[in-house]
Amino acid sequence: SVLTRLTWNVYWSYNPVIAADSGNGLHVAWEEAIPGKWDIFYKRSTNSGATWSAPTRMSWTIGDSWYPSITVDTGSGVHIIWSDDNPGDKEIFYRASTNSGVSWSALNRLTWNSGQSWFPSIAADSSDTVHAVWGDDNPTNYEIFYKNRKWSRQDHPEAAKTTIKIFPYTEYNFA
């Protein structure tokens, strides 16, 4: 295939992740240095990479955002998580799209720990259960934690809107 440049950043674009949906859709997330901080960005292609959307800024926090992970479900859902130090320590944040990345849910905070939550990874299974894992030093050691949640389009009615609700973020319970 032809080499395609996806970012045109003055600073750094780093740590890309990619997921393919059941059609011709490709979904890419990465962390990008912008003046004074790092944020998570997203692009999509609906034609197997021939063309790409403009970048969408996902994190929109005052802190730094790192280590994105992305997955797609069996429908048109796209799920992204990352580590963010906006609340003062590193916590895991999540956003979802019900329409293949056209619009996104509000910013959702998954962890509320006194320790550092880092290096998240996310996957969706064939029954649209979303699974998340990350490293956390909350107890006394650095350990791996896991949550899952059955995905439902009704969980994110705001995902169909084009406006983005930035604050306050809400706790998203993967119980």
Side-chain angles (χ1 to χ4, degrees):
S1 73
V2 177
L3 182 63
T4 303
R5 184 174 177 178
L6 296 182
T7 62
W8 297 87
N9 189 5
V10 175
Y11 300 100
W12 287 11
S13 300
Y14 193 68
N15 197 19
V17 291
I18 189 168
D21 63 29
S22 59
N24 293 320
L26 299 173
H27 307 271
V28 175
W30 68 95
E31 56 194 62
E32 187 165 300
I34 58 175
K37 65 186 285 349
W38 288 87
D39 271 316
I40 303 300
F41 284 81
Y42 164 85
K43 273 190 173 194
R44 72 187 184 108
S45 171
T46 58
N47 53 14
S48 300
T51 60
W52 291 87
S53 67
T56 300
R57 188 172 169 187
M58 301 300 295
S59 44
W60 287 99
T61 65
I62 58 173
D64 287 316
S65 304
W66 301 283
Y67 309 110
S69 182
I70 191 168
T71 192
V72 295
D73 61 33
T74 61
S76 56
V78 183
H79 310 268
I80 299 177
I81 60 172
W82 65 89
S83 182
D84 199 298
D85 70 359
N86 181 52
D89 63 353
K90 291 170 185 62
E91 301 291 352
I92 305 301
F93 283 76
Y94 167 84
R95 291 186 78 183
S97 171
T98 60
N99 53 16
S100 296
V102 173
S103 60
W104 292 88
S105 68
L107 189 61
N108 295 282
R109 184 173 170 178
L110 295 185
T111 59
W112 297 80
N113 300 325
S114 59
Q116 306 294 314
S117 301
W118 278 88
F119 309 110
S121 186
I122 194 167
D125 65 25
S126 60
S127 66
D128 290 337
T129 299
V130 178
H131 305 270
V133 294
W134 64 91
D136 200 301
D137 68 354
N138 191 36
T140 54
N141 246 353
Y142 200 81
E143 303 290 349
I144 305 300
F145 287 82
Y146 165 81
K147 286 185 175 185
N148 70 45
R149 188 168 199 284
K150 178 71 175 169
W151 169 248
S152 167
R153 303 284 178 276
Q154 289 73 38
D155 289 339
H156 294 287
E158 70 271 51
K161 298 178 183 174
T162 56
T163 58
I164 298 172
K165 177 181 172 187
I166 300 171
F167 291 103
Y169 43 75
T170 56
E171 180 175 6
Y172 191 77
N173 186 4
F174 263 58

